[in-house]
Amino acid sequence: MTPVELAAGVVHDPLFGSLVMLGLGGVLTDLLGDRVYRLTPLSDRDGARMWRSLRGARLLTGYRGAPGVDTAAVEELVHRLGRIAQDLPQIAELDLNPIIAGPDGLVVVDAKLRLAAVGDEPDPYVFRLR
């Protein structure tokens, strides 16, 4: 069994507020830059859409005879990150990398967290470009 390394987290954009990130992790994070972002609040479908929109999504469903990873656990992680981002706006950055994904679930190997004072948050339902 070859596990797949993922990266996930929360970043704060001063214009749009909190964003949830999901991508390939480990050395692939820097090498391929295969990551996707979604604004919070996340919909019920955003978790699946996020991992399916990765260029390396086939690694998650089983590639060249390798078993697929627990994609339901990936979706749950994304939704929990979205909830954390909404509930704790003082999170300026949360980086989970690598996350070892396998058929039996996920294991977060490393986590980095940066907190910042909460300023005026953008309205979560009205986004505009300046």
Side-chain angles (χ1 to χ4, degrees):
M1 173 183 81
T2 304
V4 177
E5 291 186 9
L6 297 174
V10 175
V11 294
H12 187 81
D13 181 89
L15 182 62
F16 292 107
S18 296
L19 301 162
V20 176
M21 184 275 297
L22 177 68
L24 294 181
V27 297
L28 296 177
T29 299
D30 297 325
L31 185 64
L32 299 178
D34 189 6
R35 55 182 80 94
V36 294
Y37 295 87
R38 290 291 187 276
L39 292 168
T40 59
L42 298 178
S43 75
D44 293 342
R45 296 181 180 171
D46 280 333
R49 287 178 179 160
M50 286 179 75
W51 73 259
R52 287 185 176 128
S53 65
L54 292 170
R55 291 188 308 268
R58 289 185 59 200
L59 293 172
L60 303 179
T61 58
Y63 185 69
R64 291 193 173 186
V69 306
D70 184 354
T71 54
V74 174
E75 293 172 23
E76 181 179 351
L77 173 68
V78 167
H79 284 102
R80 286 178 183 236
L81 287 171
R83 180 48 113 185
I84 288 171
Q86 282 184 271
D87 291 347
L88 302 170
Q90 63 269 33
I91 294 178
E93 184 177 2
L94 174 60
D95 181 26
L96 308 176
N97 185 16
I99 301 166
I100 306 301
D104 298 323
L106 309 174
V107 176
V108 176
V109 176
D110 189 22
K112 296 176 190 170
L113 173 66
R114 185 171 61 86
L115 301 175
V118 178
D120 291 331
E121 291 295 306
D123 184 332
Y125 299 104
V126 179
F127 298 105
R128 63 187 170 126
L129 296 174
R130 292 183 183 168

